[in-house]
Every structure is written in C-alpha cells, then in structure tokens.
Amino acid sequence: MGVLLLQLSGFCFWFWAFGSAAAAGEREAAAAAVAVEGRYAAAAADGDFVCATLDWWPPEKCDYGTCSWGLASLLNLNLSNPILLNAIKEFSPLKLRLGGTLQDKVIYDTGDPEQKCTPFVKNDSEIFGFSEGCLPLKRWDELNDFFRKAGAVIIFGLNALNGRVPMPDGSLGGPWNYSNAASFIRYTVNRGYTIHGWELGNELSGNGVGARVGADQYAADAIALKSIIDDIYQGFPAKPLVIAPGGFFDAGWFSEFITKTKPSSLDVITHHIYNLGPGVDDHLIDKILDPSYLDGEASTFSNLQGILKAAGTKTVAWVGEAGGAYNSGHHLVTDSFVFSFWYLDQLGMASKYDTKSYCRQSLIGGNYGLLNRITFEPNPDYYSALLWHRLMGKIALLTNFTGTDKIRAYAHCARQSQGITLLLINLSGNTTTQVFATTAAAFPQSLKRDSSDSRTRFSRIRRHGKATNFMREEYHLTAEDGNLQSQTMLLNGKILAVDSSGNIPKFEPIQVEASQPLTVAPFSIVFAHIPYFYAPACR
C-alpha cells in the first residue's frame, strides 16, 4: 500500500493508492501512483500536433499478396464523401501531410501542352515498382477546394529525385532539378491556395529506402527550396515552412544535414517511424503490449532532440510519417483497437521530447488508416487521435508512474481549460489498477500513513463559506467484447460510430469526485481531465 498527496489549489489531500487484481487467482494488490511535475513545462508541441497523411499509392500497390489501398490515393480519393469531410473538420484543424514513397516520382502538370500528364503504371523494373506519375492541375484544384471546406492545414511533399544521377557509392547525386516544382509552387500561389509547409523528398536520408541522397547535397537542395519559397512568396506576411528530409533517423546524416542548413534555412526536420517491423509480422500485438519494446523508440526522440539543442538551430522536429508496421500495416492489428496502445504511447512519448507535430500514416489507405478505406467510417485510432487533440494541450508535463510497468502514463496541460489531462494506458489484460495523481512538487520524501477515512475526508472543501466540489472528467476507451482486434471502440461503455448522416459522435465523459481513484480496467485507455490539479506551468 502507498500514500499519495494531491494538492488542489493550495490544499493538500492525503489518499491511499492501491491496485486490485481482476484476474481469478491473482491476489496481490500492487501499489500504483502517478506523480505529475506541474511546476514547469517539459516540452511544448504545436496546437495542431496531431497530423495525418494522404498518400499517392494506386490500387495496384500490394504487399504480401494483399492490395490494401484501393481508391485512397490523392489522385482518386472520393472527396465528396461526407464522413471524410466531417472527420477532418472535427479537428479544427487537422494537419495533413501529402506525400509518401511515390512523391519522388510525381511530375506536376503546369499547363504546358507539350508535357504529358500520365498516371502511375505498375512496373517492377522501376524504382519503387511504378513508373512516373502526374498530378493534373484539375485534381490539384479539386483537392484544394476540399481542403478549404475541411479547414485542413496542408504540408506538401515535393519530388526530390528530379535531376539526380547515379553515383559510384550507390547513392543519387547531382543537384535537385527544381524547375517543375517551382512552376507548381508558383501556380499554387497564383491560385490563392494556402500551403503551411513544403517538404523536400521522402525517405532518401541515411541509407534511404530504394534511393538515397547524401546529406551535403540534400542540405544544398533544402537551401535552394528556401530560396524558391522566399522568391515566390515575396511580400507575403507569412511564408510556408521549409521541411525535410522525411526519412528515417540516422544520427550522422541528420547531424550533418542540420549543421549545413542552420541557422534558418530549414524550419522543420522530419523523421519516419515504423519501429514494429514489417506488416506481415505475426508478433505485432506482442510488441505493442511489451513496455520494454515501446520504450525502445525513446532513444530516437532523445537523440534527435539532443542534436537540435547542440546545433543551436531554429529547426524543430516533427514525426512526418508513422504507421508502426511498414508495407501498409496489418489488417485487424494496425486498424483495430490494440493499435491505440501503440499510437497514443507514441503521441505521448514524442511530445515529451519536444516533437512539435506527429503525422500518422495514414488518414485513409493501407491497413493503418484512421478511416476505413471502403466505408470511410472511423477506425479506433481516429477516436483516440481526436480525444488527444481535444484534451491534451500544447504543454507536456513530466510524469513518474510507480507500481507496475504495464501502465503508460502521460500528462499535458489541459487544452483550452484549467488543470491537466492525464493519459493512462493499461497494457495488462489481467489487472485493474486504481490510481491517484499527485503533484511532484507536493510529494514529500517520506510519507506517513494517514487514517483510512482520509480517502473521503477532503472530498468537499469549504472555501469562502461555500461548499466546493472537486470533480474530474473521465473518458474510458475499451474494445467491443474485450476483443483487442475489434474495429469497434467503446467510450465509457458506449459504441462510437457515425450516424446516418456521417456525423462524428459526441464524446460524453463521466464525472468523478476527486476523492475517488482513477480506475484503469484491463486493456483499456483512460483520459482524465483534472481541472483542480495544481500545475503552475499551465496558468
């Protein structure tokens, strides 16, 4: 048994913290406590931290004998589907990164009658397995009209392979030929389309995926992109971000790239995360539920954060693409309830290391879409992402959870409200854990046990002669019928689903008195908004 101290607006409260076993035969109760450092911010993210991707893959894109993209490409996605529109609008705004493997083979239609605008064609002898494809201007107009209606914030990934030539070391060298991209950017500006950032290339850093470009040349190309944007957007009150390289983290490559683009040629450095391995792996769920495996990605965030601090640059870090399991994910894993354990843990971990934005692969398409590619109905991770966006503010706070390694704990200042929001993820399928939160500032070195009635003694405090109740809001996420591979998520026991008009359901919390513990059921996720929590960093 352990004792916790909770400080509420200057008052100190003593509580018992304990764990209760749900599995038959499990009798030991483990103490559980989460201490939140509310005095100062650990890191700060963008207000539109949650981001999702739209990709270029045609229907012919197949992995392990399964073709999971269908009509989910930027070139053929049904932009008139009401669920798609509503799903994006609910975020107000949702950041969308347009890109992926084939972006480096996209030619932009510029209205030149001599330039052919042909679609991608499957060709295994070509790099990435497809021929060059074209983005017609008409489709670009349609996409921008849709983005405007949806209120989306757009990041566009540019073709970084134009003009490259093979080098003796196997990389692609020579300067980027930016003429087609510059014409496309100029058309975009002339049409009045708003682009938040232009990203150069996809997975060409380090060893690359299918192709690679050296850091020195890539830095020169990023500086060229900066010059193009400064020229085309001359006179604009705000210019789009310069973003690169959209690749996997390689400490040496990233260090050189950052050094040669500092202090202000590069606004954002992006890296990709597929730390679970191939989508065909039969052990994906085991990895997702293994806390030590989840912890393994912390080194990437920490190392990149350290490189940026040491470089003295203005560049900030984003996760530009993260689908967990590469080659389109795994049906009934990366599009089911269990994946929210990985996804929300990633959001919590990334924000703690000062990552400003996190782009999920994908909004729709493959086996890891936030939306079902056929029905457009939200998969469980969509609701997890939306809850994070609504409840977790920009400021991340340090947490220290003791009692079990099966609970993942993250805390942020509450979004647009007082106090904090606490996220608890229970990776255990056997144990219900009951938790109290405490401010780290009020947590003494040694605690004496209080009397047993202290759990309820301070549930109501008199202030200025009036009774004041301290209540919190809780959002409990579970899988339908307890099936981790279910594509149906429950919020406080009720199914989350769109209505007949394609409207996203409302999130109704349960109200809980401050004196009561946070109960985290087996294989569940809990967001708790605690408005009375003592956190000066959130003022």
Side-chain angles (χ1 to χ4, degrees):
M1 302 284 283
V3 182
L4 297 178
L5 179 63
L6 182 61
Q7 185 171 331
L8 309 180
S9 302
F11 293 94
C12 293
F13 298 79
W14 296 86
F15 295 112
W16 295 101
F18 55 92
S20 63
E26 186 177 346
R27 303 189 180 190
E28 291 187 8
V34 59
V36 180
E37 176 53 86
R39 290 173 296 180
Y40 56 85
D46 289 346
D48 50 3
F49 173 74
V50 174
C51 166
T53 68
L54 288 171
D55 214 311
W56 295 98
W57 288 121
E60 295 79 18
K61 160 65 172 172
C62 306
D63 301 281
Y64 320 116
T66 301
C67 306
S68 59
W69 286 88
L71 301 179
S73 163
L74 283 161
L75 297 172
N76 56 33
L77 181 64
N78 178 8
L79 302 178
S80 64
N81 186 283
I83 301 177
L84 179 66
L85 179 64
N86 292 336
I88 296 173
K89 288 177 70 174
E90 283 293 319
F91 281 84
S92 299
L94 178 63
K95 188 180 288 174
L96 290 176
R97 181 248 185 180
L98 316 183
T101 300
L102 292 185
Q103 81 177 52
D104 287 316
K105 303 201 73 172
V106 175
I107 300 300
Y108 315 113
D109 182 9
T110 59
D112 183 352
E114 295 184 4
Q115 177 182 286
K116 294 182 179 179
C117 193
T118 57
F120 290 109
V121 176
K122 180 70 174 172
N123 186 341
D124 292 334
S125 65
E126 291 260 7
I127 186 173
F128 310 133
F130 285 86
S131 68
E132 283 187 342
C134 176
L135 172 59
L137 290 181
K138 180 181 178 183
R139 180 61 176 180
W140 184 229
D141 295 338
E142 293 171 349
L143 285 165
N144 278 279
D145 183 56
F146 173 77
F147 297 147
R148 180 187 55 78
K149 292 177 183 175
V153 173
I154 302 303
I155 308 299
F156 190 92
L158 294 165
N159 177 348
L161 288 184
N162 269 353
R164 308 291 187 189
V165 294
M167 303 295 286
D169 63 358
S171 67
L172 293 173
W176 171 47
N177 182 345
Y178 53 74
S179 59
N180 184 233
S183 296
F184 178 66
I185 293 172
R186 189 168 285 106
Y187 174 86
T188 300
V189 171
N190 290 339
R191 295 286 291 183
Y193 301 147
T194 301
I195 302 297
H196 185 62
W198 295 97
E199 184 178 31
L200 182 62
N202 182 85
E203 297 177 358
L204 302 174
S205 59
N207 292 326
V209 177
R212 61 189 176 91
V213 177
D216 182 66
Q217 180 60 60
Y218 216 115
D221 298 329
I223 293 170
L225 175 59
K226 168 71 171 173
S227 178
I228 292 166
I229 288 175
D230 286 345
D231 177 51
I232 296 176
Y233 286 87
Q234 188 174 8
F236 281 63
K239 295 181 175 65
L241 301 173
V242 177
I243 305 171
F248 291 100
F249 179 71
D250 178 296
W253 196 102
F254 271 54
S255 294
E256 182 180 355
F257 184 61
I258 290 168
T259 298
K260 291 181 176 178
T261 55
K262 74 176 188 180
S264 56
S265 292
L266 183 71
D267 297 303
V268 180
I269 190 162
T270 45
H271 64 107
H272 294 181
I273 296 176
Y274 288 90
N275 62 324
L276 297 175
V280 74
D281 190 341
D282 291 330
H283 302 286
L284 292 177
I285 293 178
D286 294 334
K287 293 177 180 179
I288 291 167
L289 298 178
D290 181 350
S292 63
Y293 195 93
L294 296 179
D295 286 338
E297 194 61 27
S299 62
T300 296
F301 293 115
S302 177
N303 289 341
L304 180 53
Q305 183 185 41
I307 290 171
L308 290 171
K309 285 183 177 179
T313 177
K314 296 179 181 179
T315 305
V316 298
W318 290 7
V319 172
E321 181 183 316
Y326 61 80
N327 289 344
S328 304
H330 189 120
H331 182 46
L332 297 183
V333 177
T334 54
D335 55 3
S336 70
F337 177 83
V338 72
F339 208 51
S340 279
F341 294 145
W342 177 86
Y343 180 39
L344 287 173
D345 187 66
Q346 278 281 299
L347 294 182
M349 188 183 298
S351 59
K352 186 172 68 173
Y353 287 100
D354 216 27
T355 303
K356 302 303 183 184
S357 195
Y358 191 107
C359 300
R360 166 63 179 265
Q361 175 81 343
S362 61
L363 175 64
I364 188 166
N367 289 315
Y368 36 38
L370 297 180
L371 305 178
N372 183 290
R373 68 176 174 85
I374 298 173
T375 67
F376 288 80
E377 293 186 7
N379 286 322
D381 279 3
Y382 172 84
Y383 296 116
S384 295
L386 188 53
L387 271 170
W388 175 287
H389 179 74
R390 290 182 178 176
L391 298 174
M392 306 289 270
K394 293 189 290 185
I395 296 176
L397 304 169
L398 293 178
T399 62
N400 181 29
F401 191 92
T402 57
T404 173
D405 66 351
K406 291 292 188 178
I407 297 285
R408 315 287 288 183
Y410 298 98
H412 280 228
C413 294
R415 188 180 180 96
Q416 298 180 340
S417 57
Q418 293 183 337
I420 69 167
T421 300
L422 185 64
L423 169 62
L424 299 171
I425 304 167
N426 192 352
L427 303 177
S428 171
N430 298 321
T431 304
T432 296
T433 303
Q434 294 182 305
V435 182
F436 283 100
T438 175
T439 62
F443 204 105
Q445 294 297 317
S446 60
L447 297 175
K448 296 181 179 180
R449 291 186 179 182
D450 200 0
S451 59
S452 60
D453 66 345
S454 65
R455 296 170 73 197
T456 58
R457 184 189 309 168
F458 298 109
S459 62
R460 181 172 293 223
I461 296 297
R462 288 209 163 267
R463 182 180 297 174
H464 304 303
K466 295 181 180 181
T468 302
N469 284 320
F470 290 105
M471 306 290 290
R472 65 174 179 266
E473 295 177 331
E474 294 182 2
Y475 303 79
H476 294 252
L477 302 176
T478 53
E480 186 178 37
D481 299 325
N483 176 14
L484 287 181
Q485 294 181 264
S486 172
Q487 292 186 286
T488 300
M489 177 179 270
L490 308 183
L491 172 60
N492 297 327
K494 297 180 180 179
I495 290 176
L496 289 171
V498 298
D499 63 19
S500 58
S501 299
N503 295 310
I504 304 300
K506 303 295 183 184
F507 294 156
E508 299 292 344
I510 56 174
Q511 301 285 334
V512 181
E513 287 190 354
S515 61
Q516 301 303 310
L518 271 161
T519 300
V520 191
F523 287 151
S524 75
I525 297 162
V526 180
F527 286 92
H529 173 218
I530 310 175
Y532 47 77
F533 196 93
Y534 180 70
C538 301
R539 289 175 180 169

